[in-house]
Coordinates of all heavy atoms in Angstrom, one line a residue:
M1 N 11.8 -7.6 15.2 CA 12.2 -6.7 14.1 C 10.9 -6.5 13.2 O 10.3 -7.4 12.8 CB 13.3 -7.3 13.3 CG 13.9 -6.4 12.3 SD 15.2 -7.2 11.3 CE 16.6 -6.3 11.8
L2 N 10.7 -5.2 12.9 CA 9.5 -4.9 12.0 C 9.8 -5.1 10.6 O 10.9 -4.9 10.1 CB 9.2 -3.4 12.2 CG 8.7 -3.1 13.6 CD1 8.5 -1.6 13.7 CD2 7.4 -3.8 13.9
K3 N 8.9 -5.7 9.9 CA 9.0 -5.9 8.4 C 8.6 -4.7 7.6 O 7.5 -4.1 7.9 CB 8.1 -7.1 8.0 CG 8.4 -7.6 6.6 CD 7.5 -8.8 6.3 CE 7.7 -9.2 4.9 NZ 6.9 -10.3 4.5
K4 N 9.4 -4.3 6.7 CA 9.0 -3.2 5.8 C 7.9 -3.6 4.9 O 7.8 -4.7 4.4 CB 10.2 -2.8 5.0 CG 11.1 -1.8 5.6 CD 12.1 -1.3 4.6 CE 12.7 0.0 5.0 NZ 13.7 0.5 4.1
S5 N 7.0 -2.6 4.7 CA 5.9 -2.9 3.7 C 6.4 -2.7 2.3 O 7.1 -1.8 2.0 CB 4.7 -2.1 4.0 OG 5.0 -0.7 3.8
N6 N 6.0 -3.6 1.4 CA 6.4 -3.5 0.0 C 5.3 -2.6 -0.7 O 4.3 -3.1 -1.2 CB 6.5 -4.8 -0.7 CG 7.7 -5.5 -0.2 OD1 8.6 -4.9 0.3 ND2 7.7 -6.9 -0.4
K7 N 5.5 -1.3 -0.7 CA 4.6 -0.4 -1.4 C 5.2 -0.1 -2.7 O 6.2 0.5 -2.8 CB 4.4 0.8 -0.5 CG 3.2 1.6 -0.9 CD 3.0 2.7 0.1 CE 1.7 3.5 -0.2 NZ 1.5 4.6 0.7
T8 N 4.5 -0.5 -3.8 CA 5.0 -0.3 -5.1 C 4.4 1.0 -5.7 O 3.4 1.5 -5.3 CB 4.6 -1.4 -6.0 OG1 3.2 -1.5 -6.1 CG2 5.2 -2.7 -5.5
K9 N 5.1 1.5 -6.7 CA 4.8 2.8 -7.3 C 3.6 2.6 -8.3 O 2.8 3.5 -8.5 CB 6.0 3.3 -8.0 CG 5.8 4.7 -8.6 CD 7.1 5.1 -9.3 CE 7.0 6.5 -9.9 NZ 8.2 6.9 -10.6
Y10 N 3.5 1.4 -8.9 CA 2.5 1.1 -9.9 C 1.5 0.0 -9.4 O 1.8 -0.7 -8.5 CB 3.2 0.7 -11.2 CG 4.2 1.7 -11.7 CD1 5.5 1.3 -11.8 CD2 3.8 2.9 -12.1 CE1 6.5 2.3 -12.2 CE2 4.7 3.8 -12.5 CZ 6.0 3.5 -12.6 OH 6.9 4.4 -13.1
R11 N 0.4 -0.1 -10.2 CA -0.6 -1.1 -9.8 C -0.1 -2.5 -10.1 O 0.5 -2.7 -11.2 CB -1.8 -0.9 -10.7 CG -2.7 0.3 -10.2 CD -3.9 0.3 -11.0 NE -4.8 1.3 -10.5 CZ -6.1 1.3 -10.7 NH1 -6.7 0.4 -11.3 NH2 -6.9 2.3 -10.1
S12 N -0.3 -3.4 -9.2 CA 0.1 -4.8 -9.4 C -0.8 -5.6 -10.3 O -0.4 -6.6 -10.9 CB 0.3 -5.5 -8.1 OG -1.0 -5.5 -7.4
E13 N -2.1 -5.2 -10.5 CA -3.0 -6.0 -11.3 C -2.8 -5.8 -12.8 O -3.3 -6.5 -13.6 CB -4.5 -5.7 -10.9 CG -4.9 -4.3 -11.2 CD -4.9 -3.4 -9.9 OE1 -4.2 -3.7 -9.0 OE2 -5.7 -2.4 -9.9
Y14 N -2.0 -4.8 -13.1 CA -1.7 -4.6 -14.6 C -0.2 -4.7 -14.7 O 0.6 -3.7 -14.5 CB -2.2 -3.2 -15.1 CG -3.7 -3.1 -14.9 CD1 -4.2 -2.2 -14.0 CD2 -4.5 -3.8 -15.7 CE1 -5.6 -2.1 -13.8 CE2 -5.9 -3.7 -15.5 CZ -6.4 -2.8 -14.6 OH -7.8 -2.7 -14.4
P15 N 0.4 -5.8 -15.2 CA 1.8 -5.9 -15.4 C 2.3 -5.0 -16.5 O 1.5 -4.5 -17.2 CB 2.0 -7.4 -15.7 CG 0.7 -7.9 -16.1 CD -0.3 -7.1 -15.5
A16 N 3.6 -4.9 -16.6 CA 4.2 -4.0 -17.6 C 3.8 -4.3 -19.0 O 3.7 -3.4 -19.8 CB 5.7 -4.0 -17.4
D17 N 3.6 -5.5 -19.3 CA 3.3 -5.9 -20.7 C 1.8 -6.1 -21.0 O 1.4 -6.7 -22.0 CB 4.0 -7.2 -21.1 CG 3.7 -8.4 -20.2 OD1 3.1 -8.1 -19.1 OD2 4.1 -9.5 -20.5
Y18 N 0.9 -5.6 -20.1 CA -0.5 -5.7 -20.2 C -1.0 -4.8 -21.4 O -0.6 -3.7 -21.5 CB -1.2 -5.3 -18.9 CG -2.7 -5.5 -18.9 CD1 -3.2 -6.8 -18.7 CD2 -3.6 -4.5 -19.2 CE1 -4.6 -7.0 -18.7 CE2 -4.9 -4.7 -19.2 CZ -5.4 -6.0 -19.0 OH -6.8 -6.2 -19.0
Q19 N -1.8 -5.4 -22.3 CA -2.3 -4.6 -23.4 C -3.8 -4.2 -23.1 O -4.6 -5.1 -22.9 CB -2.3 -5.5 -24.7 CG -0.9 -5.8 -25.1 CD -0.2 -4.5 -25.6 OE1 -0.8 -3.7 -26.2 NE2 1.1 -4.4 -25.2
F20 N -4.1 -3.0 -23.0 CA -5.4 -2.5 -22.8 C -6.1 -2.5 -24.1 O -5.7 -2.0 -25.1 CB -5.4 -1.0 -22.3 CG -4.8 -1.0 -20.9 CD1 -3.5 -0.6 -20.7 CD2 -5.6 -1.2 -19.8 CE1 -2.9 -0.6 -19.4 CE2 -5.1 -1.1 -18.5 CZ -3.7 -0.8 -18.3
D21 N -7.3 -3.1 -24.1 CA -8.1 -3.3 -25.3 C -9.3 -2.3 -25.3 O -10.0 -2.2 -24.3 CB -8.6 -4.7 -25.4 CG -9.3 -5.1 -26.7 OD1 -9.0 -4.3 -27.7 OD2 -10.0 -6.1 -26.8
F22 N -9.5 -1.7 -26.5 CA -10.6 -0.7 -26.6 C -12.0 -1.4 -26.5 O -13.0 -0.7 -26.3 CB -10.4 0.2 -27.8 CG -10.6 -0.5 -29.1 CD1 -11.9 -0.5 -29.7 CD2 -9.6 -1.2 -29.7 CE1 -12.1 -1.2 -30.9 CE2 -9.8 -1.9 -30.9 CZ -11.1 -1.8 -31.5
K23 N -12.0 -2.7 -26.7 CA -13.3 -3.4 -26.7 C -13.6 -3.9 -25.3 O -14.6 -4.6 -25.2 CB -13.2 -4.6 -27.7 CG -13.1 -4.1 -29.1 CD -13.0 -5.3 -30.0 CE -11.5 -5.7 -30.2 NZ -11.3 -6.8 -31.1
D24 N -12.9 -3.6 -24.3 CA -13.1 -4.0 -22.9 C -13.6 -2.8 -22.1 O -12.8 -2.2 -21.4 CB -11.8 -4.6 -22.4 CG -12.0 -5.2 -21.0 OD1 -13.2 -5.4 -20.6 OD2 -11.0 -5.5 -20.3
P25 N -14.9 -2.6 -22.0 CA -15.4 -1.4 -21.3 C -15.2 -1.5 -19.8 O -15.1 -0.4 -19.1 CB -16.8 -1.3 -21.7 CG -17.2 -2.7 -22.1 CD -16.0 -3.3 -22.7
V26 N -15.2 -2.7 -19.2 CA -15.1 -2.8 -17.8 C -13.7 -2.3 -17.3 O -13.6 -1.6 -16.3 CB -15.3 -4.3 -17.4 CG1 -15.1 -4.5 -15.9 CG2 -16.7 -4.8 -17.8
T27 N -12.7 -2.7 -18.0 CA -11.3 -2.2 -17.6 C -11.2 -0.8 -17.9 O -10.6 0.0 -17.0 CB -10.3 -3.0 -18.4 OG1 -10.4 -4.4 -18.2 CG2 -8.9 -2.6 -18.0
L28 N -11.6 -0.3 -19.0 CA -11.4 1.1 -19.4 C -12.3 2.0 -18.5 O -11.9 3.2 -18.2 CB -11.8 1.4 -20.8 CG -10.9 0.7 -21.8 CD1 -11.4 1.0 -23.2 CD2 -9.4 1.1 -21.7
S29 N -13.4 1.6 -17.9 CA -14.2 2.4 -17.1 C -13.5 2.7 -15.8 O -13.9 3.7 -15.1 CB -15.6 1.7 -16.8 OG -15.4 0.5 -16.1
K30 N -12.5 2.0 -15.4 CA -11.8 2.3 -14.2 C -10.9 3.5 -14.3 O -10.5 4.1 -13.3 CB -10.9 1.1 -13.8 CG -11.7 -0.2 -13.4 CD -10.8 -1.3 -13.1 CE -11.5 -2.6 -12.8 NZ -10.6 -3.7 -12.6
F31 N -10.6 3.9 -15.6 CA -9.7 5.0 -15.8 C -10.5 6.2 -16.4 O -9.8 7.1 -17.0 CB -8.6 4.5 -16.8 CG -7.8 3.4 -16.2 CD1 -8.0 2.1 -16.7 CD2 -7.0 3.5 -15.2 CE1 -7.3 1.0 -16.2 CE2 -6.3 2.5 -14.6 CZ -6.4 1.2 -15.1
V32 N -11.8 6.2 -16.3 CA -12.6 7.4 -16.8 C -13.4 7.9 -15.6 O -14.1 7.1 -15.0 CB -13.4 7.0 -18.0 CG1 -14.3 8.1 -18.5 CG2 -12.6 6.5 -19.1
I33 N -13.5 9.2 -15.4 CA -14.3 9.8 -14.4 C -15.7 9.9 -14.9 O -15.9 9.8 -16.1 CB -13.7 11.2 -14.0 CG1 -12.3 11.1 -13.6 CG2 -14.6 11.9 -13.0 CD1 -11.6 12.5 -13.4
E34 N -16.7 10.1 -14.1 CA -18.1 10.2 -14.5 C -18.3 11.3 -15.5 O -19.2 11.1 -16.4 CB -19.0 10.5 -13.3 CG -19.1 9.4 -12.3 CD -20.0 9.7 -11.1 OE1 -20.7 10.8 -11.2 OE2 -20.0 9.0 -10.1
S35 N -17.6 12.3 -15.5 CA -17.8 13.4 -16.5 C -17.1 13.1 -17.8 O -17.3 13.8 -18.8 CB -17.1 14.7 -15.9 OG -15.7 14.5 -15.7
G36 N -16.4 12.0 -17.9 CA -15.8 11.5 -19.2 C -14.4 11.8 -19.3 O -13.8 11.4 -20.3
K37 N -13.7 12.4 -18.3 CA -12.3 12.7 -18.4 C -11.5 11.5 -18.1 O -11.9 10.6 -17.3 CB -11.9 13.8 -17.4 CG -12.5 15.2 -17.8 CD -12.0 16.2 -16.8 CE -12.5 17.6 -17.2 NZ -11.9 18.6 -16.3
I38 N -10.3 11.4 -18.6 CA -9.4 10.3 -18.4 C -8.6 10.6 -17.1 O -8.1 11.7 -16.9 CB -8.4 10.1 -19.6 CG1 -9.2 9.8 -20.8 CG2 -7.4 9.0 -19.2 CD1 -8.3 9.8 -22.1
V39 N -8.5 9.6 -16.2 CA -7.8 9.8 -14.9 C -6.3 10.0 -15.2 O -5.7 9.2 -15.9 CB -8.1 8.6 -14.0 CG1 -7.4 8.7 -12.7 CG2 -9.6 8.4 -13.8
P40 N -5.7 11.0 -14.5 CA -4.2 11.2 -14.7 C -3.4 10.0 -14.1 O -3.9 9.3 -13.2 CB -3.9 12.5 -14.0 CG -5.1 12.7 -13.1 CD -6.3 12.0 -13.7
S41 N -2.2 9.8 -14.6 CA -1.4 8.7 -14.1 C -1.0 8.8 -12.7 O -0.8 7.7 -12.0 CB -0.1 8.6 -15.0 OG 0.6 9.8 -14.9
R42 N -0.9 9.9 -12.1 CA -0.6 10.0 -10.7 C -1.7 9.5 -9.8 O -1.4 9.0 -8.7 CB -0.2 11.4 -10.3 CG -1.3 12.4 -10.5 CD -0.8 13.9 -10.1 NE -1.8 14.8 -10.6 CZ -2.9 15.2 -10.0 NH1 -3.2 14.6 -8.9 NH2 -3.7 16.1 -10.5
I43 N -2.9 9.5 -10.3 CA -4.0 8.9 -9.6 C -4.3 7.5 -9.9 O -4.6 6.7 -9.1 CB -5.3 9.8 -9.8 CG1 -5.1 11.2 -9.3 CG2 -6.5 9.2 -9.2 CD1 -6.2 12.2 -9.6
S44 N -4.1 7.2 -11.2 CA -4.4 5.8 -11.7 C -3.3 4.8 -11.3 O -3.5 3.6 -11.4 CB -4.7 5.8 -13.2 OG -3.5 6.1 -13.9
K45 N -2.1 5.4 -11.0 CA -0.9 4.6 -10.6 C -0.5 3.7 -11.8 O -0.1 2.5 -11.6 CB -1.2 3.7 -9.4 CG -1.6 4.5 -8.1 CD -0.5 5.2 -7.6 CE -0.9 5.9 -6.3 NZ -0.1 7.1 -6.0
L46 N -0.5 4.2 -13.0 CA 0.0 3.5 -14.1 C 1.4 4.1 -14.6 O 1.6 5.3 -14.3 CB -1.0 3.5 -15.3 CG -2.3 2.8 -15.1 CD1 -3.2 3.1 -16.3 CD2 -2.1 1.4 -14.9
S47 N 2.2 3.3 -15.2 CA 3.4 3.8 -15.8 C 3.1 4.7 -17.0 O 2.0 4.7 -17.5 CB 4.4 2.7 -16.2 OG 3.8 2.0 -17.3
S48 N 4.0 5.5 -17.4 CA 3.8 6.4 -18.5 C 3.4 5.6 -19.8 O 2.5 6.1 -20.6 CB 5.0 7.3 -18.8 OG 6.1 6.6 -19.1
Y49 N 4.0 4.5 -20.0 CA 3.7 3.7 -21.2 C 2.3 3.1 -21.1 O 1.5 3.2 -22.1 CB 4.7 2.5 -21.3 CG 4.4 1.6 -22.4 CD1 4.7 1.9 -23.8 CD2 3.8 0.3 -22.2 CE1 4.4 1.0 -24.8 CE2 3.5 -0.5 -23.2 CZ 3.8 -0.2 -24.5 OH 3.4 -1.0 -25.5
Q50 N 1.9 2.7 -19.9 CA 0.6 2.1 -19.7 C -0.5 3.2 -19.8 O -1.5 3.0 -20.4 CB 0.5 1.5 -18.4 CG 1.2 0.1 -18.3 CD 1.1 -0.5 -16.9 OE1 1.2 0.3 -15.9 NE2 1.0 -1.8 -16.8
Q51 N -0.1 4.4 -19.3 CA -1.1 5.6 -19.4 C -1.3 6.0 -20.8 O -2.5 6.2 -21.2 CB -0.5 6.7 -18.6 CG -1.5 7.9 -18.5 CD -2.7 7.7 -17.7 OE1 -2.7 6.8 -16.8 NE2 -3.8 8.4 -17.9
R52 N -0.3 6.0 -21.7 CA -0.5 6.3 -23.1 C -1.3 5.2 -23.7 O -2.2 5.5 -24.6 CB 0.9 6.4 -23.8 CG 1.6 7.7 -23.5 CD 2.7 7.9 -24.5 NE 3.7 6.8 -24.4 CZ 4.8 6.8 -23.6 NH1 5.0 7.8 -22.7 NH2 5.6 5.8 -23.6
S53 N -1.1 3.9 -23.4 CA -1.9 2.8 -23.9 C -3.4 3.0 -23.5 O -4.3 2.7 -24.4 CB -1.3 1.5 -23.4 OG -2.1 0.4 -23.9
V54 N -3.6 3.3 -22.3 CA -5.0 3.4 -21.8 C -5.7 4.6 -22.5 O -6.8 4.5 -23.0 CB -5.1 3.7 -20.3 CG1 -6.4 4.2 -19.8 CG2 -4.7 2.4 -19.6
T55 N -4.9 5.7 -22.7 CA -5.5 6.9 -23.3 C -5.9 6.6 -24.8 O -6.9 7.0 -25.2 CB -4.5 8.1 -23.3 OG1 -4.2 8.3 -21.9 CG2 -5.0 9.3 -23.9
N56 N -5.0 5.9 -25.5 CA -5.3 5.6 -26.9 C -6.4 4.6 -27.0 O -7.3 4.8 -27.9 CB -4.0 4.9 -27.5 CG -2.9 6.0 -27.8 OD1 -3.2 7.1 -27.9 ND2 -1.7 5.5 -27.8
A57 N -6.6 3.7 -26.1 CA -7.7 2.7 -26.1 C -9.0 3.5 -25.8 O -10.0 3.2 -26.4 CB -7.5 1.6 -25.0
I58 N -9.0 4.4 -24.8 CA -10.2 5.1 -24.5 C -10.6 6.0 -25.7 O -11.8 6.1 -26.1 CB -10.0 6.0 -23.2 CG1 -9.9 5.1 -22.0 CG2 -11.1 7.0 -23.0 CD1 -9.5 5.7 -20.7
K59 N -9.7 6.7 -26.3 CA -10.0 7.5 -27.4 C -10.5 6.7 -28.6 O -11.4 7.2 -29.3 CB -8.8 8.4 -27.8 CG -8.5 9.5 -26.8 CD -7.3 10.3 -27.2 CE -7.0 11.4 -26.2 NZ -5.9 12.2 -26.5
T60 N -9.9 5.6 -28.8 CA -10.4 4.7 -29.9 C -11.8 4.2 -29.6 O -12.7 4.2 -30.5 CB -9.5 3.5 -30.1 OG1 -8.2 3.9 -30.3 CG2 -10.0 2.6 -31.2
A61 N -12.1 3.8 -28.4 CA -13.4 3.4 -28.0 C -14.5 4.5 -28.1 O -15.6 4.3 -28.5 CB -13.4 2.9 -26.6
R62 N -14.1 5.7 -27.8 CA -15.0 6.9 -27.9 C -15.3 7.1 -29.4 O -16.5 7.5 -29.7 CB -14.3 8.2 -27.4 CG -14.3 8.3 -25.9 CD -13.6 9.6 -25.5 NE -13.5 9.7 -24.1 CZ -12.7 10.6 -23.5 NH1 -11.9 11.3 -24.2 NH2 -12.7 10.7 -22.2
S63 N -14.4 7.0 -30.3 CA -14.6 7.3 -31.7 C -15.5 6.2 -32.4 O -16.2 6.5 -33.4 CB -13.3 7.4 -32.5 OG -12.6 6.2 -32.5
I64 N -15.5 5.0 -31.8 CA -16.3 3.9 -32.3 C -17.7 4.0 -31.6 O -18.7 4.2 -32.0 CB -15.7 2.6 -32.1 CG1 -14.4 2.5 -32.9 CG2 -16.6 1.4 -32.4 CD1 -13.6 1.2 -32.7

């Protein structure tokens, strides 16, 4: 019998309660394209809550 693969909709390395920090450039750089645009959630595989959190962290980091 073949085993079904557990393909999840969201990224497993960022749990639902993960707080994105604007002072962590390594994590935030994964969600920014070379041109400076923020990666959309359908590509970044984040939930809508996490995507808003990443967006706010990136915008805060940009302003500082």
Side-chain angles (χ1 to χ4, degrees):
M1 191 184 243
L2 294 174
K3 186 178 179 183
K4 272 189 163 180
S5 64
N6 285 342
K7 197 171 185 184
T8 61
K9 186 176 178 182
Y10 303 116
R11 285 186 173 204
S12 60
E13 64 259 27
Y14 301 110
D17 58 348
Y18 186 83
Q19 292 295 319
F20 292 97
D21 190 15
F22 69 94
K23 294 178 270 185
D24 185 14
V26 176
T27 304
L28 295 181
S29 65
K30 295 178 184 177
F31 302 106
V32 179
I33 304 174
E34 288 180 11
S35 62
K37 291 184 176 182
I38 299 172
V39 177
S41 62
R42 62 184 165 80
I43 296 172
S44 66
K45 301 291 186 205
L46 294 175
S47 66
S48 59
Y49 176 77
Q50 288 176 323
Q51 184 69 23
R52 284 192 302 271
S53 176
V54 166
T55 302
N56 288 335
I58 291 171
K59 289 180 178 180
T60 303
R62 281 180 184 163
S63 67
I64 293 175

